[in-house]
Amino acid sequence: MRIGIIGFGNMGSAIYEGIVEEKIFKKKDIFIYEIDKEKVKNLNLNICESNKDLVEKSQLIIIAVKPNDAKNVLEEIKSSLSPEKILVSIMAGIKIKKIEKIVGKNIPVIRIMPNLNVKVKSGIIAYCSNKYGRRYENLIEKIFSSVGMVFKLNENKFDTITAISGSGPGFLFYIAEEFKKICIEKGISEKISKDLVTYLFYGTGKMIFQTKKEIEELKEQVCSPKGTTIAGLSVFEKVKFGNLLRKVVEAAEKRSKEISES
Ligand SMILES: NC(=O)c1ccc[n+]([C@@H]2O[C@H](COP(=O)([O-])OP(=O)(O)OC[C@H]3O[C@@H](n4cnc5c(N)ncnc54)[C@H](OP(=O)(O)O)[C@@H]3O)[C@@H](O)[C@H]2O)c1
């Protein structure tokens, strides 16, 4: 199968690397079109002349441009699409209905919501499809599992998943940044503070991932009675940190809804 990737930015390039490194498809079968020629100048890729050219050469087309460029790209390629091609969009907030309105209802369309962590092949990738896209769901799972965990999700939950896994890395980076600031304030050198926070997140993630224990159980393990962790966690409880986090997620979810309805 021949794959086309429109837009070779953060996401497009990460997906390309995943597919090639995990040997899902061969390099020779992947076509790229990127408007910013500088980005692909010295790379050994199959660069197409235009998006139309890319669609003509590919059977499965991944659109990885910013949502603001969606209309331009879809208008440009619509005459080259046919029901034998599969259109995959990773553009945040662009609903299947919006895509179908431009390209027609008879084109298989799959909508994907990835997150930044696909860059380290540990992404969270939710997908949904239209009626004609359904028969390609196994293929989609195979392709995107090269960059993380993949699961099917009803499109009406996409704003929620955008807020949790899409924005989630940003929320955790924020907490990591605050931890680093505290370390520095307490007199730990900047370098050690950064390494320490890096290992705090890496090791804690690895504990959840590798031990496969319930998160609640892992938390209990560090909470010895009258110990330091319990003392710290009681502050979380007092300020109702859970409610604060809920507000954070709901603000992102609301914004996602506004974007997808605009
Ligand atoms: N980054 C994330 O964490 C994340 C998470 C979930 C979903 N997404 C979605 O993934 C998509 C891509 O995001 P990104 O972070 O990879 O963006 P990006 O780094 O800006 O990449 C998009 C690339 O597409 C190029 N482009 C623009 N118009 C084009 C056209 N007509 N034909 C071909 N290429 C074109 C852009 O060039 P110029 O820079 O010159 O415009 C840019 O190089 C977005 O729709 C975003 O919503 C991103």
Side-chain angles (χ1 to χ4, degrees):
M1 175 177 267
R2 295 175 140 204
I3 311 287
I5 302 177
I6 298 181
F8 205 68
N10 281 310
M11 289 287 151
S13 59
I15 292 165
Y16 172 85
E17 277 162 26
I19 295 174
V20 173
E21 283 167 21
E22 298 302 312
K23 299 188 170 54
I24 310 285
F25 294 104
K26 293 198 175 95
K27 221 171 150 171
K28 72 171 179 47
D29 294 321
I30 308 175
F31 297 85
I32 311 288
Y33 180 72
E34 164 59 56
I35 213 162
D36 180 357
K37 304 281 178 273
E38 278 298 304
K39 265 186 199 156
V40 288
K41 202 169 72 179
N42 295 319
L43 305 174
N44 180 22
L45 304 166
N46 293 328
I47 303 292
C48 296
E49 283 168 20
S50 64
N51 282 327
K52 237 171 126 35
D53 176 38
L54 175 142
V55 173
E56 276 152 23
K57 287 180 171 141
S58 319
Q59 194 196 343
L60 183 143
I61 300 108
I62 301 173
I63 308 187
V65 299
K66 285 271 194 262
N68 283 345
D69 297 311
K71 194 166 183 297
N72 280 349
V73 169
L74 292 169
E75 290 287 355
E76 194 183 342
I77 64 172
K78 70 175 181 194
S79 62
S80 308
L81 288 168
S82 65
E84 290 71 47
K85 309 240 180 207
I86 311 152
L87 197 55
V88 178
S89 162
I90 69 158
M91 298 178 288
I94 307 286
K95 289 185 183 165
I96 289 184
K97 228 161 71 189
K98 206 168 191 171
I99 297 173
E100 286 179 334
K101 214 169 159 188
I102 302 179
V103 302
K105 278 198 162 139
N106 58 342
I107 306 293
V109 178
I110 322 265
R111 179 180 170 194
I112 308 268
M113 184 60 206
N115 72 356
L116 182 67
N117 300 346
V118 298
K119 280 182 96 73
V120 289
K121 297 198 178 75
S122 304
I124 298 173
I125 302 116
Y127 73 89
C128 61
S129 44
N130 71 355
K131 188 169 132 194
Y132 297 100
R134 243 153 255 159
R135 54 192 280 226
Y136 300 108
E137 288 177 351
N138 284 344
L139 175 67
I140 292 301
E141 295 206 4
K142 183 176 158 198
I143 294 175
F144 285 91
S145 60
S146 68
V147 285
M149 65 160 286
V150 190
F151 61 102
K152 187 175 174 174
L153 187 74
N154 196 306
E155 195 174 23
N156 66 16
K157 290 279 176 286
F158 264 53
D159 292 316
T160 305
I161 208 68
T162 300
I164 293 175
S165 60
S167 301
F171 302 151
L172 295 183
F173 291 146
Y174 181 90
I175 295 174
E177 197 185 348
E178 290 300 315
F179 260 117
K180 188 182 141 195
K181 278 190 210 160
I182 296 167
C183 288
I184 295 169
E185 274 165 29
K186 302 270 174 203
I188 297 172
S189 75
E190 186 146 359
K191 176 172 181 333
I192 292 182
S193 298
K194 185 180 174 216
D195 292 349
L196 191 152
V197 172
T198 302
Y199 263 76
L200 179 63
F201 276 74
Y202 177 68
T204 310
K206 214 168 166 183
M207 279 298 286
I208 297 175
F209 194 77
Q210 281 189 357
T211 64
K212 310 244 182 282
K213 286 188 179 163
E214 292 302 326
I215 295 172
E216 294 78 359
E217 192 187 336
L218 288 169
K219 192 188 74 184
E220 290 309 316
Q221 278 182 12
V222 267
C223 285
S224 44
K226 296 188 181 155
T228 56
T229 314
I230 286 254
L233 285 176
S234 71
V235 179
F236 270 164
E237 295 292 335
K238 217 186 295 169
V239 299
K240 296 194 168 48
F241 184 75
N243 284 350
L244 180 69
L245 199 54
R246 196 161 290 108
K247 280 187 188 153
V248 168
V249 170
E250 283 169 4
E253 195 180 16
K254 181 169 172 270
R255 184 66 195 128
S256 173
K257 251 189 205 113
E258 284 165 8
I259 295 171
S260 56
E261 278 159 15
S262 66

